[in-house]
Each structure stands twice: as C-alpha cells, then as structure tokens.
Amino acid sequence: MNTRNILETINMIEKEKLDIRTITMGISLLDCCHHNGEIARANIYDKITKYAQNLVKIGNDIEKEYGVPIINKRISVTPISLIAQASSDTDYVAFAKTLDKAAIETGIDFIGGFSALVHKGYSKGDTILIDSIAQSLYETKKVCSSVNVGNSKVGINMDAVKQMGQVIKDTAYLTRDNGSIGCAKLVVFANAVEDNPFMAGAFHGVGEGDSVINVGISGPGVIKSALEKVKGESFEVVAETIKQTAFKITRMGQLVGREASKRLNVPFGIVDLSLAPTPAVGDSVARILEEIGLEHCGAHGTTAALAMLNDAVKKGGVMSSSNVGGLSGAFIPVSEDEGMIEAVTKGALNIEKLEAMTCVCSVGLDMIAIPGDTKASTISAIIADEAAIGVINNKTTAVRIIPVYGKSLGDSVNFGGLLGNAPIMSVSKFSSDAFVNRGGRIPAPIHSFKN
Amino acid sequence: MKAIVTVIGKDNVGIISKTSKLLAEHNINILDISQTILKDYFTMIMIVDLEKMDVDFQEISEILKNNQSSIGVTIKIQREDLFNSMHKIS
C-alpha cells in the first residue's frame, strides 16, 4: 500500500470534504395497497419500519469503519399515488403523515415518494395526490414530493404544468412562517428516473425490485483541489484530471454501497455519480467552474465549463462502478452552493443563465428562491421551459423553485442545514397567462432529423 | 481483516511506543509501519491485522480516539479496503 495514496484519501475526506451524500433504501409499497386506507397505511408503516430498521445503524457503522462521512440516510418508496388509489380516500395527507411517522421511527433524514407520474395523464390517485401535496408538505417534516409532468416519449402534460404552478404557490403560502420551506421538498420533473437517491426527487420506480440500496456520492471540493494543481493547463488536462478524480470518488461510493447492501441483505442498486454541493465553504460546484477559469459562475463560458465537467465526471465514474444510474452529473442548486449564492448576490448569475446551464448538466433549476408574489402562471411557464429542455434533449430536468412568501428582490431566505440560504432572484415581469391557460399536451418531439 | 492506522500530529517523544502499546493491549498485530515528517507534522501509517483483536471495530476506534490527547496526535483507524478500492483498478 502506497503511503501517498493513503494520505491522499485522508486529505480528500478531512480537508476537501469528500463524503457519501446519501445511502437511500428504495422500498416497494406495491404490496401494501388496500381498499381501506387505514389498513393500507398500516401496511406501509409496517413495511418501511421493518425494512429500514437497521439502515441508520448500519450507515453509522460503515461511516466509522471506513472513516468516510455518510451525511444522510434516506428512504424512497413507490409513488404514493399508485398505492393510495386502491383506497377510497379522497385526500392523501394521512398517507404523507404515515410516511413521516415511519421516517421518524427509523431515524432517517428524508423519505421520498409522495409522488405522481402524470406525464401523459392523470389517474384518480394522481389527481388526489397532487391536490394533497401542499397540505402534506405543511403537516410533515421529512416527506419529499415529486411530480413527473413530461417525458421524451409522450411530451409535456401542460395541465399538470399549470396545476403545479399553483401547488408550489400553495405550498409556499402554507409554510410561510418557515421561509416557504415546503417548496424545497417538492420537485417537478421531466424524464424522472426511477433510481435516483437524491431528494426531493427520489422515488422507488415500479421497475425496481422489492427493495434496493442506492448510493449518492459527492465531492466537489476534491475536484476543485485537483484542478488547483493544473492551473493554466489545456482542457485536455483539465478533463483528464476530473476523470481521474471522479474515478476515485465513485470507487468509494461503490465500496460503501456494496457494504451497506451486504449488511442490510438488500440488493445493491446504483451509485449516482454526482457532484452535490453543500452550503459549506469548500464544497461548491460553482467554485469548480471558477477554477476552470471564470471570474464568477454565470460569466460567459460557464455553460461550456459545466458541460465539460459533467461529461468528465461521467466518464471517470462509469469505469469505476459497474452499477451506475440515477441522475449522475453535477448538481447546480443555488441555495445549497456557497459559490452560486455569491454569484447570484454579485449579479453574475441569473435564472436565464441557470436555465442554459441545465441543458448540459443533471437536474435543472434547483433551489431557486423567487419573489413571493410571483404569479402561479409564471412558475408554470418556468416549469414548462425546463421540461421542454428535458423532453427535447432526452435528459432529466427538474424545477425546485421557492416563491418565498412575503419576500422580494433584495431579500434572502435561510433554510438551514443542507438546504442553505438563497438570495431572492428576479423572474420575468411579463405575463405567460395565455400560454399556461391553454392546457392540453405538448406533443412528443420527433427524434429523427436531430440537430 | 486489515486496517490502516494513521497518526498525524506535532512530533514528540514516544508517539510510536504509546500507539503500539495501545494496539498490543488489544491483540492487534502491526504488519508494517512507515513514518515521515511531512511539513513539520509527524505522519505515521501503520498497516495492522485485526484478526485476533479482542474488541470490535467501533470500540478500538473509540479507544484510539480517547487516547489522542494524551499522545498529542490525531489517530484514525480505517478499514484497508477503502484505500484499495480507491487507488487500485482491480
């Protein structure tokens, strides 16, 4: 064993904040359906608490033995709209509360899957679930919700897009005493993936097995430090450096995932090769882009730098793990990234540039705080733009946007913990009402004649 | 199972003897030691065998942690496979 390698690993963990962001246990609830809602909820609670009873303990054990911080332990479940619609219930808040209770009992950080997939249309359960989102996020602490409104095969459900604008507004209003934090636990997707371990968008897809362990890795600080050593060198060198570093980071994820899967006796799913920032200094994706040569994240060149970063991370990670999946790439949330926050505050970064950046990286407009009086139709239009980018380009995109009640441009909001704080960003003053009010479905794009 | 013990801190008399005594008390065999002064810091890396250890992993890591201040260094124990998986392809 080479001394230098040992010290490099220790340095990555201690100084550069390399961590496993999450171990997420996916649990299928398909066998919990019941026409009596109460029985269905009891089934759900029992299954989750039984499957995940050792998740936190084993996560902590692995953390100690390897000396690698594991920040979150989470659970994702089958979209509740599919489970709850077997019942005769007319609202699903009680289901959200059951998830919350199970999350508290198992000691995990978040539970995802209060979700509906409505890219082509609504079933009964989808309608009820979406109507219950705002109240559910208000009444629970650990529950995360997501709605998939479009995909490349069927297009974009504009009725759902329209409705989600209002749901986000309602959630912001109900959680107004807490910086509208409910919206931080709600994400609107296009091309949602079934095995993503990251909240708020995690759910356990119907194509998955009964239970599975997915791991989300992180390590923007490690990539940044590696790039500091190749200042002024060409892009080939930059890309190669990122690749090699991503390889090592992913190996760690693979090891931890396998170990967790073995000890929990649950099959290993995927490593999500992601660079996920936190608000801590030294853990920022924006700072990587700046290290590549931009004065501030958001300056011209940012999109190209991000595209290269994202691609190099995937290339390095794919060789390193035999089970890659999820969203995989760089996340660019605003409030959770110290460098992004500064870029927005200094006026270097705006929503338009962020939208362009989402064309080349994973996820989308993430953790963006906007004025509380933003119209629902404007939020819907933002969702539509982002969904279109995903649907046309065959990639996942998402919107996690927070119209912070009572706040306007120049203010900022603090969510605490990993969710960080965000300056309020400006949105277009011009109306999208007539566009959003059309409803219906934007047809799926043609995929021959690609350009 | 093998593990890596890293000891980093200001150089001092007796770091190696105190650390190895702790390990010996719990029947941990030291397989290899490399030690250097890196940027004024005493840096020691030990590869140890835990097969016959008389406590479990959590306990030994606690014991080492609790003795850090009396030895005046930071001591960590981590399973060896972490380093192997990160730095070796196969």
Side-chain angles (χ1 to χ4, degrees):
Chain A
M1 176 66 55
N2 179 329
T3 314
R4 247 189 49 213
N5 290 347
I6 292 176
L7 291 175
E8 183 187 351
T9 297
I10 289 174
N11 204 36
M12 282 178 173
I13 295 168
E14 305 271 303
K15 294 224 175 70
E16 297 162 3
K17 301 193 164 63
L18 177 60
D19 59 45
I20 299 289
R21 185 52 46 83
T22 175
I23 297 182
T24 303
M25 178 184 262
I27 303 173
S28 167
L29 299 181
L30 288 170
D31 54 356
C32 298
C33 296
H34 200 279
H35 56 83
N36 179 332
E38 226 162 280
I39 297 176
R41 287 190 290 277
N43 291 343
I44 290 172
Y45 182 83
D46 291 347
K47 185 160 185 186
I48 294 174
T49 49
K50 179 176 153 222
Y51 276 54
Q53 57 182 335
N54 292 323
L55 179 60
V56 172
K57 184 188 172 293
I58 286 173
N60 291 342
D61 286 353
I62 294 175
E63 176 174 273
K64 278 224 182 79
E65 287 176 32
Y66 289 103
V68 179
I70 299 171
I71 309 299
N72 276 188
K73 290 94 191 170
R74 302 171 176 168
I75 294 171
S76 63
V77 296
T78 312
I80 290 296
S81 71
L82 301 177
I83 308 305
Q85 63 184 304
S87 76
S88 47
D89 287 21
T90 51
D91 102 50
Y92 294 161
V93 178
F95 281 90
K97 286 175 149 174
T98 301
L99 296 179
D100 208 37
K101 211 172 105 198
I104 291 165
E105 170 64 26
T106 50
I108 54 135
D109 301 283
F110 284 113
I111 185 163
F114 197 74
S115 306
L117 311 174
V118 293
H119 33 274
K120 201 164 179 187
Y122 288 75
S123 64
K124 180 193 95 178
D126 298 327
T127 308
I128 303 175
L129 184 120
I130 293 175
D131 287 338
S132 311
I133 288 177
Q135 190 66 25
S136 297
L137 293 177
Y138 169 59
E139 291 196 36
T140 59
K141 280 216 153 56
K142 295 177 184 256
V143 173
C144 292
S145 176
S146 62
V147 175
N148 192 53
V149 297
N151 76 23
S152 297
K153 291 266 190 285
V154 303
I156 305 168
N157 182 345
M158 288 301 291
D159 293 325
V161 168
K162 180 181 175 190
Q163 193 185 358
M164 288 314 295
Q166 190 57 48
V167 169
I168 290 171
K169 286 283 286 184
D170 295 346
T171 308
Y173 179 74
L174 285 174
T175 54
R176 63 190 179 282
D177 292 338
N178 231 335
S180 297
I181 198 166
C183 298
K185 294 181 284 174
L186 171 59
V187 50
V188 185
F189 271 117
N191 286 328
V193 293
E194 299 193 324
D195 56 1
N196 150 34
F198 288 102
M199 296 298 168
F203 63 88
H204 186 74
V206 287
E208 298 278 313
D210 192 45
S211 182
V212 70
I213 287 291
N214 295 328
V215 166
I217 52 168
S218 184
V222 181
I223 304 263
K224 160 94 168 46
S225 301
L227 290 181
E228 282 166 11
K229 292 172 199 131
V230 295
K231 252 190 187 32
E233 307 252 10
S234 75
F235 271 105
E236 283 95 337
V237 176
V238 174
E240 188 58 32
T241 307
I242 296 169
K243 257 163 61 181
Q244 287 178 10
T245 315
F247 178 87
K248 292 177 190 168
I249 299 174
T250 313
R251 294 288 283 194
M252 192 182 85
Q254 162 104 345
L255 176 74
V256 167
R258 285 216 175 288
E259 194 64 30
S261 131
K262 201 169 78 195
R263 293 189 196 185
L264 287 160
N265 199 21
V266 168
F268 179 42
I270 55 113
V271 178
D272 190 307
L273 311 175
S274 287
L275 296 181
T278 71
V281 174
D283 211 8
S284 153
V285 170
R287 298 295 182 208
I288 299 176
L289 302 175
E290 292 168 4
E291 186 60 41
I292 294 174
L294 304 161
E295 185 182 356
H296 264 300
C297 177
H300 295 298
T302 303
T303 311
L306 182 61
M308 189 221 53
L309 169 66
N310 218 38
D311 180 64
V313 166
K314 287 180 187 170
K315 284 174 178 162
V318 161
M319 185 183 160
S320 141
S321 167
S322 35
N323 311 63
V324 172
L327 298 166
S328 290
F331 281 65
I332 51 168
V334 173
S335 78
E336 298 171 358
D337 186 312
E338 160 272 324
M340 295 276 178
I341 296 167
E342 193 191 87
V344 171
T345 313
K346 288 200 167 159
L349 185 60
N350 54 32
I351 288 194
E352 291 74 16
K353 186 64 178 179
L354 279 164
E355 185 184 309
M357 289 161 74
T358 64
C359 300
V360 300
C361 82
S362 43
V363 209
L365 291 173
D366 198 13
M367 289 303 285
I368 291 169
I370 56 172
D373 60 2
T374 306
K375 284 163 68 176
S377 62
T378 302
I379 297 174
S380 295
I382 292 171
I383 295 171
D385 281 342
E386 201 50 44
I389 289 172
V391 166
I392 297 281
N393 295 301
N394 263 325
K395 71 187 289 299
T396 306
T397 49
V399 173
R400 185 161 53 145
I401 199 162
I402 307 137
V404 186
Y405 188 82
K407 301 238 176 189
S408 48
L409 222 54
D411 294 337
S412 74
V413 57
N414 193 356
F415 302 116
L418 278 183
L419 299 174
N421 64 82
I424 306 289
M425 298 180 76
S426 71
V427 295
S428 173
K429 292 188 288 291
F430 301 100
S431 167
S432 313
D433 280 356
F435 168 78
V436 169
N437 282 331
R438 280 181 187 274
R441 183 149 56 95
I442 294 181
I446 188 160
H447 282 301
S448 47
F449 310 116
K450 245 185 167 339
N451 54 27
Chain B
M1 189 207 315
K2 286 185 197 167
I4 308 278
V5 176
T6 42
V7 182
I8 300 173
K10 254 198 137 74
D11 199 8
N12 222 322
V13 176
I15 297 176
I16 300 182
S17 92
K18 285 177 192 160
T19 312
S20 21
K21 185 166 165 273
L22 274 178
L23 296 171
E25 277 168 8
H26 296 286
N27 221 13
I28 295 168
N29 192 22
I30 299 169
L31 304 174
D32 189 13
I33 297 186
S34 76
Q35 182 249 303
T36 173
I37 303 288
L38 206 76
K39 290 182 192 158
D40 296 337
Y41 276 98
F42 171 90
T43 308
M44 174 168 67
I45 295 170
M46 292 170 157
I47 300 177
V48 298
D49 184 355
L50 306 181
E51 280 315 312
K52 294 183 180 142
M53 172 169 68
D54 61 8
V55 290
D56 70 15
F57 200 101
Q58 312 287 337
E59 287 172 71
I60 190 68
S61 87
E62 282 299 307
I63 290 167
L64 293 173
K65 203 171 137 200
N66 295 339
N67 280 279
Q68 290 186 133
S69 54
S70 67
I71 308 179
V73 288
T74 319
I75 311 178
K76 272 191 188 311
I77 181 162
Q78 289 161 285
R79 285 176 54 166
E80 187 200 28
D81 29 355
L82 172 72
F83 305 95
N84 283 334
S85 76
M86 278 180 78
H87 298 281
K88 283 185 189 164
I89 287 193
S90 58

